Amino acid sequence: MSAIRGARERARIEVTAAIKDEARKQLAAEGAAKLSLRAVARELGMVSSALYRYFPSRDELLTALIVDAYDSVGEAAERAHRAAAAEAAGQAHRPAAHLARWAAVACAVRDWALAHPHEYALIYGSPVPGYTAPQATVGPASRVGLLLVAVVEDAHREEGLALPPLAEELRPEAERLAADIAPGLPPAVAAPLVAAWAQLFGLLSFEIFGQFNRVVEAREVFFRQAVTELARTVGLLGGRR
């Protein structure tokens, strides 16, 4: 019985992967708004009722694709972060080591986005009409942001941050942000950290969706310089004021 069960589980994994692969082809050709379970089933030679046993609705299939995309970019960023951290472990100049980790995460996300533009569009592009992302997407969606937070927390703990000024009217919101996403950081860092995260994906979206066409030509150099400036806004460069 265990052999039969194992074969069934393997078959289910293979069919699930085939469904998601075909759905990604549809995303590339038609966009997420036009994703259709019937069309996926037709391309795979399945009847719709059979596909519904794997994904009961379009939204469940979309959620699976979204989680996969977030996990994929998260894994790419984490690999780059581990490599940069290992390389920087012996550096005496710690601000340079923290900047190297920050830049490694950002550049890994850019590399992933350029290699997977349709999956990038699914998670960072226009919302899909009629779809509301469930709680299951929150953890995978947080992976890149948590890496950036970890870099800043390490810098704060080791040699301090060049804290940016915080407007008094923003302090209540900054304190809430710090409590929610970075309890180990001062409120003065939390707001610019969220802004840097948003600006990172703004830069990527401009490149992926073509807004830089005929504007920025040396895009990798431009991106790296922008990432360094984002590091400055969160206090990574310069140490304690």
Side-chain angles (χ1 to χ4, degrees), residues 174-187:
E175 290 174 349
R176 185 192 65 79
L177 287 170
D180 285 350
I181 67 170
L185 290 173

Side-chain angles (χ1 to χ4, degrees), residues 92-145:
H93 188 234
R94 299 308 296 161
H98 300 314
L99 177 59
R101 291 165 58 202
W102 174 275
V105 170
C107 290
V109 174
R110 177 177 180 267
D111 289 345
W112 181 90
L114 291 172
H116 304 87
H118 303 296
E119 292 170 73
Y120 179 90
L122 175 64
I123 54 178
Y124 294 113
S126 299
V128 180
Y131 174 78
T132 300
Q135 186 69 22
T137 63
V138 173
S142 303
R143 292 173 71 166
V144 171

Side-chain angles (χ1 to χ4, degrees), residues 36-75:
S36 163
L37 291 183
R38 290 183 180 274
V40 171
R42 184 173 59 249
E43 290 299 321
L44 293 175
M46 299 173 64
V47 296
S48 298
S49 58
L51 190 145
Y52 290 133
R53 290 200 293 269
Y54 294 86
F55 296 101
S57 68
R58 180 208 69 159
D59 284 6
E60 291 202 24
L61 177 54
L62 268 176
T63 295
L65 297 175
I66 288 168
V67 168
D68 283 354
Y70 277 131
D71 279 337
S72 180
V73 66
E75 288 166 7

